[in-house]
Amino acid sequence: MTTTAPTASTGRTAPAASPPAPETRRRRSVRTAEKRWGLLLAAPATLHTLIWIGAPIVVAIVLSFTAYDIIHAPEFSGLENYATIFTDGLFWLSVLHNVIIAAVGIPISMFLALVFATMLNRALPGRGVFRVMIFLPHITATVAVAMIWLWIYSPSQSGLMNVVLGLVGIKPLPFLTNPDLALGSVILVTIWQGIGLKMLIYLAALQGVDEQMYEAADLDGANFVQKFFRITVPMLKPATFFILVTSLISNFQTFDLIYILTEGGPANSTSVVTYRIYQTAFQEFRVGLANAQSVILLLILVVLAFLSRRIVGGTDDD
Amino acid sequence: MTTDHAPSITGTAPSATRARDHSLRRRKRTSNALVLAFLIVASVIMAAPFLWMAVSSIRDPTELAQVPMPLIPKDLRLENYSEALGRAPFATYARNSLILATAAAALNVVFASACGYALAKLRFRLAPAVFGWMVACIMIPFYATVIPVFLMVRHMPLFGGNTLMGVGGTGWIDTWWALIVPGAVSPFMVFLFRQFYVSTPSELIEAARLDGVSEFGIFTRIITPLIRPGLLTVALLSFEAGWNNFLWPLLVTTSDELRVIQVGIASFRQEASTDWHLLMAGTTLAAVPMIVLFLIFQRYFVQGFASSGIK
């Protein structure tokens, strides 16, 4: 390293010699070193993100105004792609599926997460084990999770769902191959997978709730349900809003699950935005159009992310 | 709700308080038992799919065809694993995932920590702009940029037979470059590191400067050792993201030599579509390493996830 910092070393070895001049010089050199190292240490990560996130965003926006099929050079086509999206029923159907999955799945999984979190907030034996069991679906790769559920939903008599239904005398159901059942089956998996993280955030928020409130309520003779709705729920409002927004964001990024479970089918009944973009780009090779779809997705997510950042900003204490 | 009077319980008559305490404690015990019972049932339901995977991976295929199928397998059939390994190169897939995940963890720890430290502790002119940019990057989902990133990788100049203009060949497609480079730094990890560094004492930096320690030395030898749990958290989260990644490896790898385990089981599914005992053996191989890692390092994962909220 050829870092030229002579003043720093002289300033150190001659502390008592000539009082003010070297001292300020030393401090100034420290400031220069700080500035230089600040830039140097921040540079690799900053350049990396400029190249692999910044540039792609620009490319996506530019290509969204072109007709491009990977083989031929992109050709400027104005707003044609956006006009196409406007009338593309399948794209909006995919958006609708995201909305349905969110509208049905998120509230249910949030409610269950809250119930688990309140229960696990007590000093119970084995609560670490419960927490792990509930959190495992989140830590496991979605591809593996989807494979497991593919097997559970298997239409044969040996799929677990159908084994269980068989125990109560219901005939095997085609969970993933019937257009009326497929989306519901997908939602069930998202609920199961989503409970863990939500529970964790709720648990973290519950640690911040004042125990004395519950003690006071106990003295007033409040029962569990009263305490839950009068103390817990209101105190957890910020966490609830945060979970809601982040869940909405990750819902719009569902891909692996659909790719393995249904490939968007049957009859497009489970297609979601990311899967539609994947198809447009890598199966139909309409890359310009796919980029326009990506820009729409980006707009949806940026709006949601801004909302969440505002909330995080409000509760952050740095 | 008013809580002001809560701490002054001891002010009331002692015998009445004791009786009430007693009944409170008894009520608490019965409600704890109820909660415990509920949690046992609920968590077993939550874990059931994993149990089903594990059980199916050692079942005899003839048993899977039986109607009605016995829920508990009669005997263990570990050959399912060797058979699955014979049908698809799961060992290669696992090795590739291990390399990918380890590289992601190492690169993120090195580059994101450097940037996070600079943003938290060093004053330089561009710091606010860099911080703002990182936060903006966190909001940009990979799915919105995946097509351009793919095109950039494919048209990487002078790689894979490409010309200087990036045409003619395949660029980084089906190379380790494509798997590792685009994900080498995650802006979220930069953000997380900054949070860890912010809570370290700045006085230590000042003292080290007075002792003549170089700025780089302060970063690597004095402050970074203080955030060891943070390093582990970022390493584990990056490793998990690398091991569980699917779409990107799916797009940029074509050969078995470079295929990672999540893509491996996805393609094995087409191949062995009805051999559920083999598919579940493969899925177990893809899922278990992360589960084991989580069980060992639970605390750090939980810390990371709780402070992220976003995944």
Side-chain angles (χ1 to χ4, degrees), chain B residues 41-253:
Chain B
V41 173
S43 58
V44 165
I45 292 174
M46 288 295 289
F50 290 109
L51 294 174
W52 194 242
M53 167 190 80
V55 168
S56 303
S57 75
I58 47 171
R59 245 185 224 272
D60 194 287
T62 53
E63 208 175 86
L64 293 176
Q66 271 175 41
V67 181
M69 178 181 53
L71 278 176
I72 295 157
K74 283 199 194 70
D75 45 20
L76 309 182
R77 193 172 181 275
L78 290 169
E79 300 96 289
N80 287 350
Y81 283 88
S82 48
E83 203 180 314
L85 285 166
R87 290 272 294 273
F90 280 110
T92 310
Y93 299 159
R95 182 205 64 188
N96 293 341
S97 284
L98 186 67
I99 295 173
L100 173 64
T102 309
L107 291 167
N108 267 300
V109 163
V110 171
F111 293 115
S113 71
C115 191
Y117 172 76
L119 291 176
K121 292 294 179 191
L122 301 178
R123 284 163 299 165
F124 58 102
R125 201 169 301 131
L126 284 172
V130 171
F131 181 65
W133 168 247
M134 288 295 166
V135 171
C137 279
I138 295 174
M139 294 188 209
I140 296 168
F142 179 65
Y143 290 95
T145 58
V146 64
I147 299 166
V149 173
F150 175 83
L151 294 175
M152 284 164 66
V153 159
R154 189 173 181 271
H155 294 292
M156 193 54 68
L158 305 177
F159 279 90
N162 273 352
T163 64
L164 190 63
M165 295 307 291
V167 289
T170 52
W172 279 359
I173 297 297
D174 214 32
T175 66
W176 282 107
W177 297 103
L179 280 175
I180 292 172
V181 172
V185 181
S186 146
F188 176 69
M189 296 307 167
V190 173
F191 182 78
L192 207 55
F193 264 123
R194 180 188 166 273
Q195 302 301 92
F196 286 122
Y197 280 117
V198 159
S199 54
T200 59
S202 294
E203 296 79 15
L204 225 50
I205 299 176
E206 293 302 328
R209 276 180 190 148
L210 284 175
D211 286 346
V213 184
S214 71
E215 289 293 327
F216 188 69
I218 295 173
F219 160 57
T220 54
R221 288 186 285 119
I222 303 199
I223 302 299
T224 299
L226 295 179
I227 61 149
R228 255 189 224 122
L231 292 173
L232 196 55
T233 303
V234 169
L236 288 167
L237 289 181
S238 313
F239 188 93
E240 187 241 14
W243 183 273
N244 290 348
N245 200 352
F246 175 66
L247 175 63
W248 183 245
L250 172 75
L251 291 178
V252 296
T253 57

Side-chain angles (χ1 to χ4, degrees), chain A residues 213-236:
Chain A
M213 283 202 160
Y214 292 106
E215 282 163 21
D218 278 337
L219 287 173
D220 291 342
N223 63 30
F224 179 78
V225 176
Q226 284 172 323
K227 281 186 287 184
F228 181 76
F229 283 105
R230 295 284 177 82
I231 304 175
T232 312
V233 171
M235 291 300 286
L236 291 179

Side-chain angles (χ1 to χ4, degrees), chain A residues 35-56:
Chain A
K35 271 186 196 165
R36 196 171 37 221
W37 277 100
L39 270 179
L40 219 56
L41 291 176
T46 311
L47 287 177
H48 188 276
T49 48
L50 282 172
I51 293 169
W52 295 106
I53 299 176

